[in-house]
Amino acid sequence: AEAAAPAEAPPAEGAAEGEAPPAGEGEEAEGEVPIPECAFSQSKGVPCQCGPSEDDPEAPVQKRCLELNMERLLSNIQGDRKKRGFPLDKDMEGMRGFEMNSVNFKKYNLLFSEDNEKDTKPYMIFDKEPIMKEVKEMGFNCDFYFINQKKELEKWPLPKLILLRDWDRVFGNNYVWPCTKDRHNYWLNWIEEKKEEITDEWEA
């Protein structure tokens, strides 16, 4: 006796007769290319954030990862998990310790993650004008009040100031303010140089 022909599978739900069923769950849609976790982020121990750039859609998807992780990469610039942040030396002139209340980390945008007050950025640049306004309005309730007791901040000649995270409290506090024009410019130049080095390594 002839073997019975196998029963024909019914068309997938939603597929018209004669049409191929849609791709199964977990399969990539036609034309889409999966973005693998990049080797650069894995080698640096930072989260991969590869994806299309809003500013430059033609840029490689890995460029977004570099840009979004730049500050985290600067945090690890010394290549030692036990020494985070920038290479601070207590003998550096023009550096003044500054204690920032941790409850204000979120207010001043000092956190990578708003849910983790220990996950702080390595530095932050502030506009002087709004900070001075806050000092005058809040007095000693403003953290910056304590670096203006002798009008140091009020006399600061530049429109911006930078605070560096001092994890090891080299200067006695959790932040340090480069409080001379020369030291301010030194750190701005240092940061830009390190950003270029990181970018060159990524592009290699």
Side-chain angles (χ1 to χ4, degrees):
E2 294 183 6
E8 189 173 332
E13 186 177 347
E17 189 174 352
E19 291 183 0
E25 186 176 350
E27 296 181 20
E28 295 295 330
E30 186 177 355
E32 289 186 5
V33 179
I35 300 173
E37 185 167 337
C38 67
F40 183 77
S41 64
Q42 289 181 328
S43 69
K44 296 298 183 181
V46 296
C48 179
Q49 302 196 58
C50 290
S53 170
E54 295 180 2
D55 298 331
D56 186 3
E58 301 299 320
V61 293
Q62 291 85 359
K63 186 175 182 181
R64 178 175 180 270
C65 186
L66 173 70
E67 292 169 347
L68 294 181
N69 276 316
M70 182 60 77
E71 288 182 339
R72 284 193 182 276
L73 294 168
L74 285 170
S75 292
N76 303 330
I77 199 67
Q78 298 191 70
D80 184 343
R81 291 184 179 182
K82 294 182 179 180
K83 288 189 71 65
R84 293 179 294 171
F86 301 164
L88 301 175
D89 185 334
K90 64 180 180 180
D91 293 326
M92 284 181 175
E93 295 181 355
M95 302 284 279
R96 178 173 175 181
F98 174 84
E99 190 68 24
M100 175 72 76
N101 192 325
S102 61
V103 300
N104 290 325
F105 286 177
K106 180 178 178 180
K107 170 184 175 181
Y108 293 121
N109 194 29
L110 300 175
L111 301 174
F112 283 120
S113 170
E114 293 185 356
D115 300 326
N116 184 357
E117 68 176 32
K118 294 182 179 181
D119 194 16
T120 49
K121 299 175 182 179
Y123 72 97
M124 182 56 65
I125 296 174
F126 296 88
D127 289 319
K128 174 187 171 181
E129 187 176 342
I131 292 299
M132 279 305 308
K133 181 180 179 182
E134 185 176 303
V135 168
K136 291 176 181 178
E137 291 177 352
M138 297 178 61
F140 63 83
N141 290 315
C142 173
D143 287 336
F144 289 91
Y145 171 85
F146 298 97
I147 57 173
N148 193 51
Q149 289 178 306
K150 296 182 179 180
K151 307 296 183 183
E152 301 99 316
L153 191 55
E154 190 172 329
K155 296 175 183 177
W156 180 243
L158 302 174
K160 295 180 182 293
L161 60 146
I162 183 172
L163 292 185
L164 309 180
R165 185 71 163 98
D166 188 353
W167 276 284
D168 296 326
R169 294 182 176 265
V170 174
F171 290 92
N173 299 95
N174 59 4
Y175 281 86
V176 58
W177 173 37
C179 58
T180 67
K181 186 176 179 180
D182 286 346
R183 189 58 69 182
H184 172 92
N185 290 331
Y186 167 84
W187 283 111
L188 288 184
N189 292 332
W190 186 92
I191 290 168
E192 290 306 312
E193 288 174 4
K194 295 305 175 184
K195 284 183 177 181
E196 289 180 9
E197 289 179 12
I198 292 170
T199 301
D200 289 344
E201 182 182 355
W202 174 80
E203 291 177 342

